[in-house]
């Protein structure tokens, strides 16, 4: 026997059922809809040209053959339910004007709520001059009913969509006279607010959206946006990409971040739960927020990434943010309290060991992805990103304290505060260095050099202000200049020009200059104005700075308290210096050792 074909719904019924299903699932209207009875059959109370009418006992009579879009039925059914929820069924002197006032008030409410789509003829401008139905009703009674308000009801002009004490249709148990409709609406509002919070937190999908299951990564990201202001701005601005094929192509085993594209890649194959995802996302957010991609300064990118991972993971564990991933990560309690720069200097002493450790991207790979354009950070848009990343964490830290979110590691707070302050230019720091060692020379009056006589008393000689004799003794410093083949001539010009100008402004009479590459070339004492103009660079061989430094430290005619300035490109061996010193190196380069003196990074 052949199977009977399933009966298909006609388009009008199908659209109505979709609208009814949506309104029944909506958290705000679900309690009202569950206590109401929807009647869609021939001979009900709905007029021929209407959409729906509502009775005081909770019956909603819907036109049985009316065609409309699901969004239009959603609007009509919401309109009918709100008559019950707002308690509009009252006996008034002018029932027609009261019905019109309630229709206008509901139309304004649904317009502000942006729920559904009003059918043609009900989509006029919703602008009522009252704050309540009662106020609008008395306005209609006193001033009359404006024709523009005729089209807001659900049954058309000349009819009322609210019917008092209607005849009962169906069994007696459908006669819901004892239902507290206002209480149902109140419960619906509570459910709507709760649902909105859950949607924002990622625990519930938005009603009417594609029913896609929110992954643990997206739930973790939404949690940062709604509940953790310290990193909420970072979470809102970054795009989360969960593509196993793309992650395999980029060799990402767990996660990685692209600061230029504002993208975080998470491999679903890692199998992280929500708490682990919070830890991993916070890890990547801090990489970018603390500008680790821009602070490498010539260091090995992977080893610098490893050093930053140790610092970040220690902070996150102290903060109790998420759960340390089961698949592993970089954490060493012995490194607690150290900065990323200090940890890096330890790592370079045992490169073989640390080349085999794994970041969240994998073994031998850093989870800070290299930008497509190497110098992107120096472009104009890079500066905009710099300001964005600085502001994200600094403002998030302020929100964290304002809302009493708890304590944070001291080193973490110090690093955020340091990043929120603009860096001091290298030449300004160099000027402060000169001020520290060369205070202004005091001047005295001296009759040995007479000043110009005043015209009023030409016979009276007056003393002249001159520098105190002997103050220039020992007022000098040494310059060790790296003249190797890798040394940039622009660095030489900027550094020597700054040294010459600051020396002249601080009344330094002579500077002891030594060139040094594979050998030492002593230039003797030079006047500051000669340094930048007439110095001829010699050598251009390899870089060995220690002989030049030893030469000045043991030179008899060089003051024992005279400081040293070493100008180098950073490609040199470890040096030993016993007197006060400072280094001038190019911005982006890193010394292979940690000097005790000041380091100026020349731009």
């Amino acid at each position: 026997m052949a199977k009977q074909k399933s009966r298909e719904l006609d388009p009008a019924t199908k659209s109505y059922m979709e609208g009814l299903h949506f309104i029944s699932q909506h958290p705000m209207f679900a309690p009202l809809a569950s206590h109401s009875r929807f009647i869609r059959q021939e001979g009900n109370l709905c007029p021929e040209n209407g959409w729906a009418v509502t009775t005081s006992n909770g019956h909603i009579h819907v036109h049985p053959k009316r065609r409309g879009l699901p969004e239009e039925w959603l609007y009509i059914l919401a309109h009918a339910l709100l008559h019950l929820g707002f308690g509009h069924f009252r006996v008034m002197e002018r029932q027609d004007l009261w019905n019109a006032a309630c229709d206008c008030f509901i139309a304004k409410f649904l317009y502000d709520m942006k729920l559904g789509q009003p059918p043609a003829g009900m989509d006029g401008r919703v602008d009522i001059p009252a704050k309540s139905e009662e106020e609008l009703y008395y306005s209609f009674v006193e001033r009359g009913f404006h024709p523009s308000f005729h089209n807001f009801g659900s049954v058309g002009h000349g009819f009322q969509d609210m019917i008092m004490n209607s005849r009962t249709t169906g069994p007696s148990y459908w006669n819901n006279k004892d239902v507290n409709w206002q209480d149902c609406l109140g419960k619906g509002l509570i459910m709507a607010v709760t649902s909105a919070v859950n949607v924002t937190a990622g625990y519930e999908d938005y009603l009417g959206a594609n029913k896609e299951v929110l992954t643990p990564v997206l739930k973790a990201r939404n949690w940062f946006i709604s509940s953790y202001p310290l990193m909420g701005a970072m979470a809102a601005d970054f795009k989360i990409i969960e593509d196993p094929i793309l992650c395999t192509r980029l060799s990402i085993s767990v996660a990685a971040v692209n600061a230029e594209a504002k993208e975080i890649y998470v491999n679903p194959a890692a199998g992280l739960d929500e708490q682990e995802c919070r830890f991993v996302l916070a890890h990547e957010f801090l990489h970018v927020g603390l500008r680790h991609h821009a602070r490498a300064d010539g260091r090995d990118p992977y080893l610098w990434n490893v050093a930053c991972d140790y610092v970040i993971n220690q902070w996150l564990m102290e903060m109790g943010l998420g759960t340390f991933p089961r698949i592993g990560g970089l954490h060493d309690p012995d490194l607690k309290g150290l900065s990323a720069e200090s940890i890096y200097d330890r790592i370079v002493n045992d490169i073989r060991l640390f080349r085999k450790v794994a970041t969240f991207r994998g073994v031998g790979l850093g989870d800070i992805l290299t930008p497509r354009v190497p110098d992107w950070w120096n472009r104009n848009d890079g500066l905009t990103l710099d300001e964005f990343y600085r502001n994200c964490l600094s403002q998030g830290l302020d929100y964290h304290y304002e809302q009493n979110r708890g304590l944070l590691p001291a080193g973490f707070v110090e690093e955020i505060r340091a990043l929120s302050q603009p860096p001091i230019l290298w030449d300004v720091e160099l000027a402060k260095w000169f001020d520290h060692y060369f205070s202004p020379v005091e001047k005295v009056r001296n009759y040995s050099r007479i000043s110009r006589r005043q015209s009023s008393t030409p016979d009276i000689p007056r003393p002249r202000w001159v520098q105190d004799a002997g103050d220039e003794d020992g007022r000098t410093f040494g310059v060790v200049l790296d003249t190797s083949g890798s040394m940039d001539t622009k660095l030489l010009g900027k550094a020597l020009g700054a040294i010459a100008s600051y020396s002249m402004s601080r009344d330094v009479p002579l500077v002891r200059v030594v060139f040094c590459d594979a050998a030492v070339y002593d230039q003797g004492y030079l006047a500051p104005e000669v340094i930048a103009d007439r110095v001829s660079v010699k050598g251009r061989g390899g870089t060995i700075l220690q002989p030049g430094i030893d030469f000045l430290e043991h030179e008899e005619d060089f003051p024992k308290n005279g400081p040293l300035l070493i100008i180098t490109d950073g490609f040199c061996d470890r040096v030993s210096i016993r007197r006060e010193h400072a280094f001038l190196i190019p911005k982006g380069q890193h010394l292979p050792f940690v000097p005790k003196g000041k380091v100026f990074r020349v731009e």
Side-chain angles (χ1 to χ4, degrees):
M1 185 175 178
K3 294 182 179 179
Q4 294 182 354
K5 294 183 178 179
S6 60
R7 184 180 177 183
E8 294 183 0
L9 297 176
D10 61 274
T13 303
K14 184 178 180 180
S15 296
Y16 165 74
M17 295 302 295
E18 289 182 10
L20 178 61
H21 176 74
F22 192 96
I23 200 69
S24 300
Q25 298 297 320
H26 195 287
M28 178 176 171
F29 295 95
L32 289 170
S34 64
H35 289 83
S36 303
R37 183 188 179 196
F38 298 90
I39 303 172
R40 186 175 182 267
Q41 61 187 25
E42 295 287 348
N44 63 14
L45 300 180
C46 183
E48 183 65 25
N49 296 324
W51 286 83
V53 296
T54 309
T55 65
S56 59
N57 55 3
H59 294 181
I60 299 175
H61 295 255
V62 181
H63 196 289
K65 297 182 180 180
R66 188 100 190 204
R67 285 199 176 192
L69 299 174
E71 295 82 4
E72 293 175 334
W73 280 117
L74 170 62
Y75 182 90
I76 293 297
L77 297 178
H79 183 103
L81 291 173
L82 287 176
H83 275 313
L84 297 169
F86 287 157
H88 288 167
F89 287 91
R90 304 185 219 168
V91 178
M92 308 294 284
E93 183 178 355
R94 290 289 305 273
Q95 204 67 33
D96 58 335
L97 295 182
W98 171 249
N99 200 146
C102 295
D103 287 339
C104 294
F105 188 82
I106 291 177
K108 181 65 166 63
F109 182 85
L110 293 177
Y111 176 82
D112 294 337
M113 189 177 177
K114 301 292 188 286
L115 181 68
Q117 174 184 334
M122 297 177 59
D123 54 355
R125 178 179 177 83
V126 184
D127 189 9
I128 58 176
K131 297 181 180 179
S132 65
E133 303 93 321
E134 293 83 358
E135 185 178 344
L136 187 60
Y137 166 72
Y138 291 117
S139 174
F140 288 164
V141 172
E142 294 177 3
R143 305 173 186 175
F145 185 61
H146 196 275
S148 62
F149 295 126
H150 278 300
N151 60 338
F152 290 139
S154 60
V155 290
H157 180 54
F159 296 91
Q160 298 180 28
D161 59 0
M162 291 194 301
I163 300 178
M164 299 286 295
N165 300 324
S166 68
R167 59 182 173 87
T168 302
T169 304
S172 60
Y173 56 80
W174 282 109
N175 195 11
N176 299 331
K177 294 182 179 180
D178 298 330
V179 176
N180 189 334
W181 300 104
Q182 290 89 338
D183 184 60
C184 290
L185 180 60
K187 293 179 180 178
L189 290 172
I190 295 174
M191 292 172 58
V193 173
T194 304
S195 177
V197 173
N198 290 337
V199 168
T200 305
Y203 296 105
E204 182 179 320
D205 202 2
Y206 179 70
L207 186 62
N210 295 329
K211 296 299 181 180
E212 297 177 356
V213 179
L214 292 176
T215 63
V217 179
L218 295 180
K219 291 181 180 180
R221 192 273 299 271
N222 293 339
W223 178 83
F224 279 106
I225 296 175
S226 63
S227 305
Y228 204 75
L230 180 63
M231 304 179 195
M234 304 285 291
D237 201 70
F238 269 78
K239 180 180 179 182
I240 306 297
I241 299 178
E242 297 180 84
D243 188 344
I245 298 178
L246 180 59
C247 290
T248 302
R249 188 183 306 161
L250 296 176
S251 301
I252 300 174
S253 60
V254 180
V257 61
N258 188 329
E260 178 189 9
K262 295 183 181 180
E263 295 174 344
I264 292 180
Y265 302 88
V266 180
N267 194 339
L272 302 178
D273 59 25
E274 184 180 346
Q275 292 296 324
E276 292 174 328
C277 288
R278 290 184 186 181
F279 189 97
V280 171
L281 289 183
H283 179 99
E284 305 302 342
F285 291 151
L286 291 181
H287 268 317
V288 180
L290 298 176
R291 300 180 64 247
H292 288 160
H293 49 288
R295 289 168 51 194
D297 288 340
R299 301 179 179 91
D300 181 271
Y302 169 70
L303 298 179
W304 170 248
N305 198 152
V306 169
C308 296
D309 277 6
Y310 279 116
V311 175
I312 290 178
N313 291 340
Q314 178 63 41
W315 285 340
L316 294 178
M317 294 185 71
E318 292 180 25
M319 295 159 62
L321 185 55
T323 304
F324 196 83
R326 293 163 294 175
I327 58 176
L330 299 180
H331 178 245
D332 188 350
D334 294 337
L335 300 178
K336 179 180 179 180
L338 297 179
S339 64
E341 288 80 5
S342 300
I343 296 176
Y344 178 87
D345 293 325
R346 291 193 179 190
I347 289 176
V348 294
N349 293 326
D350 196 356
I351 295 180
R352 285 188 177 182
L353 173 62
F354 288 96
R355 283 289 183 187
K356 300 177 182 179
V357 299
T359 66
F360 284 145
R361 186 181 178 189
V363 178
L365 299 172
D367 59 340
I368 305 176
L369 298 181
T370 305
R372 291 185 294 273
V373 182
D375 61 342
W376 72 276
W377 195 260
N378 294 324
R379 305 197 310 261
N380 291 333
D381 54 348
L383 295 176
T384 303
L385 283 176
D386 187 13
E387 296 174 358
F388 169 75
Y389 293 138
R390 290 176 188 271
N391 293 336
C392 279
L393 279 183
S394 61
Q395 293 178 2
L397 183 63
D398 294 336
Y399 293 147
H400 186 93
Y401 284 140
E402 289 175 2
Q403 300 178 14
N404 297 322
R405 294 280 179 167
L407 300 177
L408 297 173
F412 180 39
V413 176
E414 290 177 2
E415 193 155 341
I416 295 178
R417 294 300 188 194
L419 287 176
S420 62
Q421 301 294 329
I424 302 175
L425 298 177
W426 70 274
D427 50 350
V428 177
E429 291 185 308
L430 182 62
K432 293 181 179 179
W433 186 86
F434 272 96
D435 290 336
H436 176 71
Y437 291 105
F438 304 106
S439 58
V441 176
E442 295 185 3
K443 293 184 178 181
V444 296
R445 290 184 179 274
N446 195 323
Y447 282 94
S448 62
R449 299 185 63 184
I450 307 299
S451 65
R452 292 185 302 173
R453 301 172 184 267
Q454 295 183 2
S455 58
S456 59
T457 54
D459 298 333
I460 301 177
R462 288 178 171 79
R464 186 172 184 174
W465 286 107
V466 295
Q467 296 180 358
D468 192 8
D471 275 2
E472 68 276 2
D473 296 341
R475 195 178 180 84
T476 185
F477 63 95
V479 175
V480 178
L481 187 61
D482 181 2
T483 58
S484 61
S486 60
M487 193 66 177
D488 187 8
T489 56
K490 292 183 179 180
L491 171 64
L492 292 176
K494 289 183 178 180
L496 291 176
I499 291 173
S501 60
Y502 288 138
S503 299
M504 289 185 288
S505 64
R506 269 75 176 173
D507 298 317
V508 175
L510 297 172
V511 180
R512 186 63 183 269
V513 181
V514 172
F515 294 166
C516 186
D517 44 59
V520 178
Y521 306 93
D522 181 22
Q523 302 298 300
Y525 283 97
L526 300 177
E529 58 270 16
V530 178
I531 294 178
D533 294 338
R534 295 195 294 269
V535 166
S536 58
V537 179
K538 301 180 180 180
R540 310 299 284 176
T543 304
I544 305 177
L545 293 179
Q546 191 63 53
I549 295 172
D550 293 340
F551 175 80
L552 282 179
E553 288 186 336
H554 295 92
E555 188 70 10
E556 294 183 356
D557 62 345
F558 187 66
K560 294 183 178 180
N561 59 346
L564 295 180
L565 269 177
I566 299 99
I567 306 176
T568 177
D569 57 2
F571 298 101
C572 56
D573 297 328
R574 183 181 297 271
V575 294
S576 175
I577 309 175
R578 290 183 293 272
R579 64 175 66 209
E580 297 294 331
H581 62 279
F583 284 87
L584 282 80
I585 63 175
K587 184 178 181 180
Q589 292 296 331
H590 176 67
L591 292 172
F593 52 89
V594 181
K596 294 182 179 179
K598 186 69 176 177
V599 177
F600 305 105
R601 302 190 184 277
V602 183
E603 298 180 359

